Amino acid sequence: MVTMDDTPMTVTTTPSEVAMATAPPPEDAVTHPTRWESPDQSFAKYILEKGKGIETPNLGATCVVQIIPLVSEGLEQGLVGYPMYEENEITLGEGDTEISAVLDACFETMQAAEVCEVEVAKETVGLGSGDDFLRFQLELKDLTRKEDPWHQGSDEILSLATHLKNKGTECFKAAKIRPAIRRYSRALKLLVLLGKDIPEDQKAVYINLRVACYQNLAACQIKLSQHDFVIKNCSKALLLDSGLVKALYRRGCSYTAVNEFEKARQDLQRALEIEPANKATIEQLKVLEKKSKAQDEKYAKAMAKMFGGPAK
């Protein structure tokens, strides 16, 4: 959990005059807003009114908030993920957009009654590049923390992991790839907590969830050409079930992409042994052989040139 004591603070003026333009400030108002930048540099916030107490929300917390965009052009709720302007109750982590993920991270640093202005680079949320920023005024009016998962029983953890997996699949079908990755990753982190303590009657559900999340993560990552991650996650799924055709196929595709042709061939041929009529696997084998042949020819020409032989 990020708190106000984790990172040195520097004093500066807020980029917006909106929150400072009224007459006498509230009792808790900060005369000179303090700038705090998140450790991953995904956002910076300017504290306009200090919060109360020490408790901060976590993912899954129920929060009463007000989100006011200070640069609203082109911003719709579909992009932000949460309702704007009016006071609303939200659940942190349920926005499923790039912007909501940053707002979640900011809310996780706030105490009840805190008001801040948050600054997010458009490049961070995939809306531009350079020095353009989105700015929001956030108020955390109230919060109810979600019980920490290490205090939950296996039933609750499996239920939440299933919810996260299902939401990830909804995101994937809606072409929201990075939110889907966050959902599947959160589900897997929860399942790690169960470890070897999973009751015998829940082991099948536990294993099936892990397999689904690893495979679905790989399906997302292959769309982003993150082939090393695809190979790792498919390998984890195959350790749990060696007959997963989709995992063999995707790992074969990624091995092909990184020129590990023999490993790719082994995976794709194994997938065909299980499903001989699988058209995607048959086509990928053709791609593999064509790419492998092209590389062999390239190496042959390079060797011929190096040693003075005829180049075909």
Side-chain angles (χ1 to χ4, degrees):
M1 181 67 67
V2 180
T3 65
M4 297 303 297
D5 294 327
D6 288 331
T7 306
M9 297 181 180
T10 55
V11 177
T12 183
T13 55
T14 176
S16 170
E17 300 294 329
V18 174
M20 306 298 293
T22 53
E27 183 178 344
D28 292 330
V30 179
T31 305
H32 299 288
T34 301
R35 185 180 190 274
W36 181 88
E37 187 170 19
S38 64
D40 64 359
Q41 299 183 325
S42 62
F43 69 91
K45 75 172 184 176
Y46 300 80
I47 302 173
L48 306 178
E49 296 180 31
K50 293 179 181 178
K52 296 178 172 62
I54 60 172
E55 191 172 60
T56 57
N58 55 350
L59 286 177
T62 302
C63 299
V64 179
V65 305
Q66 187 172 23
I67 301 171
I68 301 175
L70 302 178
V71 181
S72 59
E73 184 178 353
L75 274 184
E76 302 173 353
Q77 185 176 326
L79 282 175
V80 176
Y82 295 128
M84 296 182 287
Y85 299 104
E86 303 296 329
E87 176 182 307
N88 281 281
E89 183 177 280
I90 66 170
T91 301
L92 291 196
E94 295 293 318
D96 286 329
T97 69
E98 296 303 294
I99 294 175
S100 72
V102 178
L103 297 184
D104 287 338
C106 186
F107 278 124
E108 286 186 87
T109 71
M110 297 171 66
Q111 288 90 30
E114 181 177 324
V115 180
C116 73
E117 183 176 315
V118 62
E119 177 182 84
V120 184
K122 287 187 176 181
E123 187 173 13
T124 300
V125 294
L127 294 179
S129 59
D131 297 327
D132 288 337
F133 290 91
L134 298 174
R135 295 184 175 90
F136 298 87
Q137 181 173 301
L138 305 182
E139 181 175 358
L140 178 59
K141 296 176 180 286
D142 196 13
L143 68 102
T144 303
R145 282 181 61 87
K146 175 79 172 177
E147 184 180 18
D148 291 315
W150 48 88
H151 293 147
Q152 297 177 16
S154 59
D155 286 338
E156 294 169 294
I157 290 176
L158 289 173
S159 176
L160 180 53
T162 300
H163 166 76
L164 291 167
K165 187 262 294 182
N166 292 340
K167 283 290 188 179
T169 300
E170 288 179 17
C171 289
F172 182 81
K173 289 178 178 178
K176 297 163 70 172
I177 303 303
R178 295 188 186 279
I181 287 174
R182 284 193 289 272
R183 291 285 192 171
Y184 296 134
S185 298
R186 284 176 60 194
L188 285 166
K189 287 176 182 177
L190 278 175
L191 294 172
V192 166
L193 292 174
L194 293 178
K196 297 179 181 179
D197 297 328
I198 185 75
E200 191 65 33
D201 63 342
Q202 294 178 328
K203 280 188 177 179
V205 174
Y206 168 74
I207 290 172
N208 288 339
L209 272 174
R210 287 181 64 196
V211 167
C213 289
Y214 284 133
Q215 289 206 99
N216 294 347
L217 258 181
C220 294
Q221 291 159 339
I222 204 166
K223 286 185 174 293
L224 302 178
S225 298
Q226 296 176 341
H227 295 295
D228 288 343
F229 290 119
V230 174
I231 291 167
K232 287 178 182 178
N233 284 312
C234 287
S235 297
K236 289 176 180 178
L238 288 163
L239 283 174
L240 297 168
D241 184 346
S242 62
L244 299 168
V245 171
K246 287 183 179 179
L248 288 165
Y249 168 75
R250 289 181 185 128
R251 191 171 70 174
C253 290
S254 287
Y255 275 140
T256 303
V258 299
N259 297 333
E260 292 275 6
F261 299 134
E262 188 52 40
K263 291 180 179 179
R265 191 173 289 110
Q266 290 174 8
D267 277 350
L268 295 171
Q269 288 176 345
R270 171 60 179 150
L272 274 185
E273 288 173 8
I274 301 169
E275 290 186 9
N278 189 297
K279 292 182 180 179
T281 305
I282 293 170
E283 289 303 312
Q284 184 59 30
L285 266 171
K286 292 178 182 178
V287 171
L288 164 64
E289 298 306 338
K290 183 178 180 179
K291 188 173 182 182
S292 178
K293 182 180 178 181
Q295 187 181 76
D296 289 344
E297 291 175 351
K298 179 180 177 181
Y299 284 162
K301 288 180 180 179
M303 294 297 289
K305 185 176 181 181
M306 182 182 299
F307 294 107
K312 296 182 179 179

